Amino acid sequence: MSLGHILLSSGRSIRLTELQMSSTYGGMLEGYPCKRINDLKISWLQRRAERAFPSTPVHLVPPSREYPDETAGAFGPVEVLPSVFCVGAFDSAALDPAMDGSALVVAWFQPLPEVPAGEDADLALRSIRWEELAQDYEL
């Protein structure tokens, strides 16, 4: 069973088979969102996805960054990432017809805790270069 389908810009249909979501700034006790903190969060998300799915390639979609009109603190300007970070396992038809399917784990940020689906999925997700990033598998 899939959690959703996404139609990529290339025309390929991919299925979301597993999804993990968390609050981007949940548990942040001190400081404020800034470039240094966000770079650490992005790096941590990439490593988390790689550890959770060690046998599948991982692709990190670079997040958007917003700079609200707030006074800069000791760590520089306020920089805000979308409020939810996600790690999703996707599969699709095989790249090589002799194989059973292809898979890719994607890490990304999004503004709301929603399951991405269809043509309404974020453009960054729909722009994934599946043929370059995914890996074929056999059952």
Side-chain angles (χ1 to χ4, degrees):
M1 179 180 114
S2 68
L3 299 172
H5 290 81
I6 295 177
L7 184 61
L8 299 180
S9 301
S10 66
R12 176 181 284 271
S13 177
I14 62 174
R15 295 181 314 154
L16 177 62
T17 59
E18 185 173 335
L19 178 62
Q20 302 168 5
M21 290 183 169
S22 293
S23 170
T24 300
Y25 298 111
M28 188 170 173
L29 301 175
E30 267 186 54
Y32 61 93
C34 61
K35 179 175 178 21
R36 180 171 177 253
I37 295 292
N38 290 338
D39 288 348
L40 288 171
K41 286 190 171 290
I42 293 165
S43 173
W44 177 83
L45 177 60
Q46 171 97 28
R47 286 191 315 274
R48 176 181 172 174
E50 289 167 350
R51 281 191 311 271
F53 300 91
S55 62
T56 306
V58 172
H59 173 66
L60 173 74
V61 175
S64 63
R65 299 173 187 239
E66 293 183 11
Y67 301 90
D69 190 21
E70 295 181 25
T71 304
F75 302 112
V78 175
E79 177 186 273
V80 180
L81 298 173
S83 61
V84 179
F85 69 78
C86 306
V87 174
F90 292 89
D91 73 4
S92 184
L95 304 170
D96 176 350
M99 302 297 275
D100 294 315
S102 57
L104 179 66
V105 171
V106 181
W108 75 96
F109 291 79
Q110 62 185 36
L112 299 171
E114 298 173 341
V115 175
E119 294 178 11
D120 295 331
D122 185 86
L123 179 59
L125 274 179
R126 291 188 293 117
S127 298
I128 291 171
R129 299 175 326 277
W130 189 269
E131 288 73 12
E132 296 173 30
L133 300 168
Q135 178 181 355
D136 280 341
Y137 62 84
E138 286 184 296
L139 295 176

